[in-house]
Amino acid sequence: MRAALIALALAVPAALEAAPRPRPVPQKPEPKPPEPPPSGPKDAEPKPPEPPPPPGPKEADRHFKNGVGLFKEAKYGEALAEFERAYKIAPHPLVLYNIAGCHRALSHYGEAVAYYRQFLADGNGKVPAARLSDAQVELAALLALTARVTVTITPAGDDAALIVDDTPRDKAAMPLVLPPGEHRLVARAAGRRDAEQVVHVAAGDEVPVELALGELPVTQPIPPPRIVGAARDITAPAYRRFALGAGFGTNLRLVGDTGAPALGVAAAIGSRFELGVDVVLVAYAVVPSVRVRLVGDMLALHVVGAAPIAFKDGPTTERFVAGALGIGLRYRPMPRLAVRLESYASFAGKTHGTTIPTFLGGELWF
């Protein structure tokens, strides 16, 4: 290979070098008649500088010879850059042969095969037949060391991209020429789930691979939270309309002598009204109530109207009904969990007087 490159460097067509041009004989300029003063503005706009001339065949020859020297030193990456620059300036088919050799030395088998094939197509009738024959032999030897993988992406679409070993392949020609070993193939398209497959290939394998793009799951949009004042609106959804509660109640006027556990149920009517019933276990009392939310959501203030009913308990008590009106707070750390504090004044006539029942407890909403 190196001998072929050396010979090729020496055989660069002489047409790549520009022929020297004769220097013009300076002549004495003829005097020009005076020009009339310009009628426009005094300061003329400067002309933009002319672009530099494009590089010529000498520049291409310089890069080509640099590439040959670097290839002799086994600096294949640097040699590849020089050959590519030479071909960009003067696209001669012989440079493709050297580019293919660099890719082969760098184990870029797919690129080497592509450039060998381009050299055989572009160089037919333009380069010596012996050089084309050498390229055919080298291409056949390279194909014997590689595997061919044909990838089919379904559903077919122009926007589907193929990624081979984390490197995108834009409109890759099939079959892919890959070195032996493990390779990760990924198909990607907008609006679909990626398809991925890992293949293990050996030299000479011809493997078909089908990558089926999946459909993304349909997700329901999450509505933005409603803002009321400075608090977040966490009003329970429609299916959270019933609550079970448990707490402790006492008479604030006789805290040391009173106190009993209580259980309750509640039902929401709309977003502001609520009906509830609390049962005081020890005092044998039932407290039906109506609550109206005044303001707030996470921390809400409400008024409560109740009619406590005390049941007869032995010869010392009797059944009676009282009227009550008060105020309460409800804190919702979560939509299904709440803490409620209520206190109201209850009047049961001259016999039983006025009490201040107060309840503190938790609620679980459904």
Side-chain angles (χ1 to χ4, degrees):
M1 171 65 74
R2 294 184 179 179
L5 291 172
I6 295 173
L8 177 60
L10 297 176
V12 176
L16 292 177
E17 298 186 0
R21 300 178 179 179
R23 297 182 178 178
V25 179
Q27 299 179 0
K28 185 177 180 180
E30 298 180 358
K32 296 182 179 180
E35 297 181 358
S39 59
K42 295 182 179 180
D43 298 331
E45 296 183 358
K47 295 182 179 180
E50 296 183 359
K58 286 187 177 181
E59 184 71 10
D61 183 53
R62 183 179 68 84
H63 286 292
F64 184 87
K65 291 179 179 179
N66 289 343
V68 173
L70 290 168
F71 193 95
K72 292 178 182 179
E73 298 175 4
K75 297 179 179 179
Y76 306 117
E78 292 88 336
L80 176 62
E82 293 292 335
F83 289 136
E84 289 177 339
R85 179 60 61 86
Y87 185 78
K88 184 177 181 180
I89 298 173
H92 194 277
L94 284 171
V95 187
L96 296 172
Y97 180 79
N98 287 17
I99 293 176
C102 290
H103 279 298
R104 182 179 181 181
L106 292 169
S107 299
H108 302 164
Y109 297 136
E111 291 82 353
V113 169
Y115 277 102
Y116 273 125
R117 288 173 174 170
Q118 185 180 354
F119 168 69
L120 291 172
D122 295 354
N124 188 18
K126 299 179 182 178
V127 299
R131 185 66 62 205
L132 295 175
S133 178
D134 292 341
Q136 287 280 12
V137 173
E138 293 171 11
L139 175 60
L142 183 60
L143 290 175
L145 299 175
T146 59
R148 268 79 71 199
V149 179
T150 303
V151 180
T152 304
I153 300 176
T154 57
D158 296 337
D159 59 340
L162 177 63
I163 302 172
V164 181
D165 297 330
D166 299 326
T167 301
R169 297 289 187 95
D170 185 19
K171 297 181 180 180
M174 295 296 160
L176 298 174
V177 179
L178 301 177
E182 180 180 286
H183 300 279
R184 178 170 171 263
L185 309 175
V186 178
R188 181 168 298 164
R192 289 188 173 272
R193 188 170 58 249
D194 291 355
E196 178 181 341
Q197 185 171 338
V198 176
V199 296
H200 300 265
V201 295
D205 286 352
E206 295 184 4
V207 181
V209 175
E210 181 178 355
L211 299 177
L213 296 168
E215 295 187 2
L216 294 175
V218 179
T219 58
Q220 297 293 335
I222 301 176
R226 291 175 11 195
I227 303 300
V228 178
R232 183 166 55 94
D233 184 7
I234 59 167
T235 304
Y239 61 87
R240 292 174 186 165
R241 293 299 185 186
F242 302 96
L244 297 177
F248 186 82
T250 185
N251 180 6
L252 288 185
R253 299 187 66 179
L254 300 172
V255 175
D257 299 328
T258 60
L263 298 176
V265 294
I269 302 175
S271 61
R272 293 189 175 274
F273 296 92
E274 178 186 323
L275 299 178
V277 176
D278 293 291
V279 178
V280 184
L281 301 181
V282 177
Y284 300 103
V286 176
V287 186
S289 59
V290 177
R291 301 181 182 91
V292 180
R293 181 168 63 93
L294 298 178
V295 66
D297 295 292
M298 179 180 288
L299 180 62
L301 176 69
H302 61 268
V303 294
V304 56
I309 304 174
F311 292 91
K312 185 175 182 180
D313 180 21
T316 58
T317 61
E318 60 179 349
R319 185 175 65 183
F320 62 89
V321 179
L325 184 64
I327 196 167
L329 288 173
R330 176 179 280 122
Y331 174 63
R332 290 181 183 267
M334 292 183 292
R336 300 188 64 173
L337 182 65
V339 178
R340 176 167 55 90
L341 172 63
E342 288 180 346
S343 182
Y344 43 84
S346 175
F347 181 71
K350 295 181 180 180
T351 304
H352 299 281
T354 301
T355 58
I356 306 177
T358 302
F359 292 90
L360 174 64
E363 298 173 328
L364 184 61
W365 286 85
F366 299 92

